Amino acid sequence: MAGATREADERWMREAISAARRAAREHDEVPVGACVVDAGGALLAVAGNRTRTDCDPTAHAEVVALREAARRAGNFRLNGATVYSTVEPCAMCAGALVQARVRRLVYGARDERAGAVESIFRVCDNSSLNHRIELTPGVLEADCRELMREFFRARRVKEGMRGEG
């Protein structure tokens, strides 16, 4: 069973990575991707960051994916669902996961500066809240981390070139 879960986790994380790449390539968004899979293993939603595109500070990949998944499921509670995110969610996204009653969160790279799942805060398994989420960190971590590194490396190069003019 653990092998089957690992295989499914990697499959869905690759889907989230693809969404992150599209967001960066097509919209110059920070490359974070997320997808929501229901209890039966069906994909409900996949999204990349849209904060710049939508001019919306709440349009993080996880929130955009949760909104679409809830619409498709016809319920704001996503009981039994698993969310895959390329990066450890921030406080806003972790709170949204709790509010949606997601069963499980799988994420790739830790976010030491803003992560609210394990790095800075522990929102998803906080005993003070009325819902706790099962956590699986580090799935395809190197790939997820490299996406972020490549994006910010390229951005620094671009900004350096603009500064020379």
Side-chain angles (χ1 to χ4, degrees):
M1 185 68 164
T5 300
R6 181 73 179 181
E7 187 176 296
D9 286 351
E10 289 182 2
R11 171 188 177 206
W12 294 119
M13 187 60 74
R14 283 188 191 87
E15 188 77 31
I17 289 170
S18 292
R21 284 192 177 117
R22 279 191 306 276
R25 183 180 62 247
E26 296 172 12
H27 304 288
D28 198 32
E29 296 278 359
V30 174
V32 178
C35 61
V36 181
V37 176
D38 73 13
L43 181 65
L44 289 174
V46 62
N49 269 353
R50 297 190 51 87
T51 55
R52 290 171 176 255
T53 303
D54 294 354
C55 198
D56 178 354
T58 69
H60 291 196
E62 299 93 336
V63 171
V64 174
L66 286 172
R67 287 175 181 156
E68 178 61 24
R71 268 192 293 279
R72 290 194 66 204
N75 193 336
F76 68 102
R77 298 283 192 231
L78 296 170
N79 296 315
T82 299
V83 172
Y84 295 85
S85 179
T86 57
V87 176
E88 178 183 4
C90 69
M92 176 185 68
C93 294
L97 294 168
V98 170
Q99 291 300 316
R101 304 299 192 266
V102 167
R103 181 181 68 80
R104 188 166 168 253
L105 167 66
V106 179
Y107 69 89
R110 286 178 63 110
D111 184 347
E112 299 294 336
R113 295 186 324 151
V117 175
E118 295 181 297
S119 295
I120 305 297
F121 303 110
R122 294 197 68 97
V123 174
C124 292
D125 61 357
N126 188 310
S127 62
S128 297
L129 299 176
N130 63 350
H131 179 72
R132 279 165 283 302
I133 298 171
E134 177 187 331
L135 305 173
T136 305
V139 173
L140 301 180
E141 181 176 9
D143 296 336
C144 295
R145 187 179 308 114
E146 188 56 28
L147 262 177
M148 297 294 277
R149 283 186 180 145
E150 287 173 14
F151 178 81
F152 286 109
R153 188 178 310 129
R155 181 170 275 179
R156 282 190 299 273
V157 168
K158 267 193 248 181
E159 288 173 359
M161 292 171 78
R162 278 187 291 210
E164 293 174 9

